[in-house]
Amino acid sequence: MARKKEIGREKILDAAYNLALKVGLNDLTARSIAAEGDFSTQPIYLEFTNLDELRQAVLDRFVNYLTSDRKYEFDTGNALIDLCMDYIHFCVNHTEFFSSIFVYGKQDTSNVADQMIDIGVKLFYKQYPNTNLTRYEVTKIVAAFWTAVTGVILSMTTQQAMFGFEQIQDMLEQSLKNNIEARGKVLIGENPLFNKSFERKFREYADD
């Protein structure tokens, strides 16, 4: 009778995710993950081909958290702004993790960008069910809005500026209002996280 594995994939992923929140993705090593989870390094290489696969699994878990149907930390009356405020709160409290993904990360972040835009579009329609905006316009509004949100996080995590959450809410509400009034006809600017996702989704909805 085969022995039951004591250290499975989920336990390893739990340890790697918890550690990544503290030190970032790039500094994950087999030894540090094993120390975090209180197990040896051997199970890591039995469950994952290499550390890159494990780092990608950690990133996927973050995306699943971000897009999950859950109660947000904030309740502004606008689901999209609630999500973004929750996201800002998460990233400011896990600076190394945010920076390792969005500033100097080496992982493939295309799924992060796609999922962030998709959940944003979903919440936009939930908040504005009777909108006469096209799918293309809504997608562009959401993409530009996420760029603004990322800018706020970068300012705070690099200590270029610090904002209270009432200030952040005011800024996000104004940004969203401006983008809606412009029907998405705004300059999105350069954002390495979203550029490829912008292009793909814009082509997808351009003929709406």
Side-chain angles (χ1 to χ4, degrees):
M1 184 174 175
R3 290 182 60 188
K4 184 178 179 180
K5 290 187 297 184
E6 294 182 2
I7 309 298
R9 187 179 181 90
E10 284 304 306
K11 185 169 183 178
I12 295 168
L13 185 53
D14 287 344
Y17 184 77
N18 291 336
L19 183 60
L21 294 183
K22 293 182 279 189
V23 304
L25 279 175
N26 298 337
D27 288 338
L28 291 182
T29 66
R31 286 186 177 182
S32 64
I33 294 167
E36 178 74 17
D38 193 24
F39 47 76
S40 71
T41 59
Q42 183 181 21
I44 296 173
Y45 293 107
L46 291 175
E47 295 292 338
F48 295 91
T49 305
N50 50 45
L51 284 178
D52 282 340
E53 182 187 351
L54 178 50
R55 290 188 185 102
Q56 192 62 48
V58 169
L59 189 55
D60 290 342
R61 175 172 284 194
F62 166 70
V63 172
N64 290 337
Y65 164 77
L66 182 66
T67 59
S68 63
D69 184 14
R70 57 191 165 81
K71 182 176 176 58
Y72 299 126
E73 294 283 337
F74 301 88
D75 183 6
T76 66
N78 184 308
L80 179 56
I81 290 177
D82 291 346
L83 169 65
C84 292
M85 298 242 336
D86 190 69
Y87 171 63
I88 291 170
H89 183 257
F90 178 92
C91 291
V92 168
N93 282 291
H94 302 96
T95 302
E96 292 300 325
F97 183 72
F98 169 80
S99 298
S100 71
I101 298 173
F102 304 123
V103 180
Y104 47 78
K106 300 175 182 178
Q107 300 300 121
D108 179 7
T109 57
S110 59
N111 184 50
V112 178
D114 285 354
Q115 295 289 339
M116 289 171 77
I117 291 177
D118 286 345
I119 187 64
V121 169
K122 177 183 176 181
L123 293 179
F124 185 96
Y125 281 117
K126 179 180 179 180
Q127 187 67 34
Y128 307 101
N130 299 317
T131 183
N132 62 357
L133 294 166
T134 67
R135 180 84 174 188
Y136 172 77
E137 289 170 335
V138 170
T139 303
K140 194 167 186 181
I141 287 168
V142 169
F145 190 57
W146 273 121
T147 299
V149 169
T150 304
V152 171
I153 298 170
L154 281 170
S155 295
M156 295 181 71
T157 55
T158 57
Q159 298 185 337
Q160 296 178 32
M162 296 304 294
F163 307 106
F165 280 96
E166 288 186 4
Q167 291 176 289
I168 294 171
Q169 180 180 340
D170 289 342
M171 287 190 293
L172 295 184
E173 287 175 347
Q174 189 61 51
S175 174
L176 186 57
K177 179 182 177 183
N178 291 343
N179 277 290
I180 291 172
E181 289 176 350
R183 301 183 71 91
K185 295 182 175 66
V186 294
L187 179 63
I188 294 171
E190 292 296 319
N191 187 311
L193 175 61
F194 293 116
N195 282 349
K196 290 183 180 179
S197 189
F198 286 165
E199 295 170 5
R200 184 182 67 76
K201 289 185 178 294
F202 287 175
R203 285 197 299 271
E204 183 179 342
Y205 301 133
D207 295 330
D208 267 22

